Amino acid sequence: FSANFTVELSFRVKECDPATGEAYDEDDEGDEEEYPVEDLELNTTDFVSRVLQVSNFKNAWEAVGKTNEVLEKFELSQYKTLKEAIAAVV
């Protein structure tokens, strides 16, 4: 499977205060700009990674050990509901 995509970067340009990054005029919606980017070609192989031949994956996985494991917990405390957090992140 192969697919080609035409890619274009679309954005708005606003005048901003370089010290704060805030727009000079909050009501100004800015000027629309478009910038063509090279076409993108995707193949099935772009989503497949070659792996070493392992006769017993479970044993190989366990041999890596806990030293290479990372467990982290994150909190989105600024949102009051799960719906708000999902809307902001997604």
Side-chain angles (χ1 to χ4, degrees):
F1 177 74
S2 178
N4 289 316
F5 298 91
T6 301
V7 182
E8 184 174 84
L9 178 62
S10 299
F11 54 95
R12 292 188 177 271
V13 177
K14 293 184 178 187
E15 288 191 50
C16 296
D17 182 347
T20 64
E22 296 293 324
Y24 285 126
D25 182 1
E26 291 296 326
D27 296 328
D28 180 17
E29 293 187 13
D31 299 318
E32 289 188 22
E33 295 283 338
E34 294 178 349
Y35 182 78
V37 183
E38 289 183 17
D39 287 352
L40 174 67
E41 180 181 341
L42 288 178
N43 296 298
T44 305
T45 56
D46 293 326
F47 299 97
V48 178
S49 177
R50 181 181 300 262
V51 295
L52 299 173
Q53 294 296 327
V54 177
S55 60
N56 187 327
F57 182 80
K58 182 179 179 186
N59 288 344
W61 181 265
E62 290 173 355
V64 171
K66 296 280 186 189
T67 58
N68 295 309
E69 182 177 316
V70 177
L71 180 61
E72 295 178 316
K73 189 174 188 177
F74 297 94
E75 183 177 335
L76 299 172
S77 58
Q78 67 268 33
Y79 303 106
K80 299 202 184 310
T81 66
L82 181 59
K83 189 174 182 177
E84 287 177 6
I86 292 170
V89 173
V90 178

